[in-house]
Amino acid sequence: METIDRVAGMSRAAGIFRREGRTIGLVPTMGSLHAGHLELVRVARARADIVVVSVFVNPTQFAPGEDYETYPRDPERDAGLAAGAGADVFFLPSVAEMFPDGFGTWVDVDGITGVLEGKSRPGHFRGVATVVIKLFNIARPHFAVFGQKDAQQVAVIRRAAGELNTGVEIVVVPTVREPDGLALSSRNAYLDAGERRRATALRRSLDAARDLVASGERDPAKITGAMARVISGSGPAAIDYISLADPDTLEELTALRPGAVVLASLAVRIGRTRLIDNELLTVD
Ligand code: AMP
């Protein structure tokens, strides 16, 4: 595996790979790699000639007061894990090169960025979409791999990649979980033992939603109400949102129609840690 830390070096390498007719798969991450990220790398490995894993803690997607400064960083460990999962290139650009002083070109995706995560984290998806399009232009992938864990991010990237004619295929990988159902996340490291136990409530609330839909419940308010009761029954936790929405438009649903695929999602603060999770439910 080759480590590249300069934008020009990555562009040059991508140009060579392209001229050689090799397929490039990109896995964008913020590092602190866990088994969820590594599953994305393995999916990329299975279908690309060249797998590029980028690690960039993107300051533009953190709102003021969020955890940009304290976000866990360990590039040496990440490089070993990425290599072990089959990465060919480990791309580690600097903030100074990605967002130099005076940077002023942004990717704003209308509509779907104002709800759910976007409502709680103003500017978040502008930062995400901008850095992902920059990474596409630098690494020139044929496809890029993202996790279902960040369902709204998938919707935003799909829109931006399509509407800006990047030609990059967006590949989505199911959420990787701990044995007790907690979705793997770099932020799980912030949880103390009691919080870690309570954090399983997110998965359990999604199970409750799935069971209710399977048993014929079609009233979104009753389903989100049941999800909220699972969270509040688990101990101190602040619900940011609980949502049943269309997975593409992210519009809240007022009824569940037969055959529909519904994105059940939630964000909950446990202690000082904000956790998200989601599941796609099919209405039979
Ligand atoms: P992050 O480093 O948190 O920005 O995540 C980088 C990529 O890994 C994103 O596409 C995430 O959706 C994905 N990801 C994070 N956690 C998981 C997980 N538990 N399962 C699958 N993909 C994940």
Side-chain angles (χ1 to χ4, degrees):
M1 188 182 76
E2 186 185 358
T3 297
I4 299 179
D5 59 8
R6 299 301 297 266
V7 168
M10 185 69 246
S11 294
R12 208 164 30 243
I16 294 167
F17 299 143
R18 284 260 173 181
R19 277 195 295 283
E20 291 172 346
R22 300 212 256 179
T23 305
I24 304 172
L26 172 68
V27 182
T29 80
M30 296 205 301
S32 187
L33 299 183
H34 53 60
H37 299 115
L38 300 180
E39 181 61 17
L40 272 51
V41 180
R42 279 189 287 271
V43 167
R45 176 73 284 159
R47 47 186 291 177
D49 298 316
I50 299 291
V51 174
V52 179
V53 174
S54 64
V55 168
F56 181 65
V57 184
N58 172 21
T60 71
Q61 71 185 67
F62 288 77
E66 289 188 352
D67 54 348
Y68 173 66
E69 305 295 342
T70 54
Y71 196 83
R73 292 164 170 88
D74 193 345
E76 273 177 32
R77 177 176 171 276
D78 289 343
L81 291 170
D88 299 296
V89 176
F90 188 64
F91 179 42
L92 203 68
S94 68
V95 173
E97 265 206 300
M98 291 294 275
F99 293 104
D101 288 345
F103 182 91
T105 304
W106 298 97
V107 178
D108 266 315
V109 178
D110 282 346
I112 59 173
T113 55
V115 296
L116 305 176
E117 289 299 287
K119 197 167 178 182
S120 304
R121 308 183 65 190
H124 172 68
F125 286 115
R126 181 169 104 140
V128 169
T130 303
V131 82
V132 168
I133 297 296
K134 281 173 69 73
L135 290 168
F136 286 2
N137 288 333
I138 297 164
R140 299 181 57 199
H142 295 82
F143 68 89
V145 189
F146 295 88
Q148 174 63 28
K149 160 90 188 330
D150 298 279
Q152 188 173 11
Q153 172 168 281
V154 167
V156 170
I157 299 298
R158 270 197 208 289
R159 277 275 295 278
E163 292 182 353
L164 294 176
N165 309 99
T166 62
V168 178
E169 182 193 350
I170 306 303
V171 176
V172 181
V173 172
T175 302
V176 178
R177 299 176 178 281
E178 300 280 5
D180 65 4
L182 178 66
L184 295 187
S185 164
S186 308
R187 292 190 168 101
N188 293 351
Y190 301 153
L191 300 167
D192 68 25
E195 292 166 348
R196 171 65 187 79
R197 271 193 300 280
R198 293 192 326 258
T200 60
L202 278 82
R203 171 67 263 179
R204 286 186 283 111
S205 77
L206 292 166
D207 290 342
R210 192 189 50 219
D211 291 349
L212 279 170
V213 170
S215 65
E217 182 57 64
R218 297 291 177 263
D219 179 352
K222 291 216 172 103
I223 298 166
T224 53
M227 292 173 72
R229 281 194 296 281
V230 173
I231 300 296
S232 46
S234 72
I239 295 169
D240 191 345
Y241 63 78
I242 294 181
S243 158
L244 293 187
D246 178 282
D248 298 317
T249 66
L250 302 182
E251 277 170 26
E252 283 302 306
L253 299 174
T254 51
L256 303 190
R257 281 180 236 301
V261 176
V262 175
L263 176 66
S265 68
L266 72 168
V268 176
R269 200 173 291 276
I270 297 184
R272 66 191 177 96
T273 308
R274 187 171 178 282
L275 299 173
I276 60 172
D277 203 349
N278 73 85
E279 181 163 333
L280 289 169
L281 307 174
T282 303
V283 184
D284 288 328

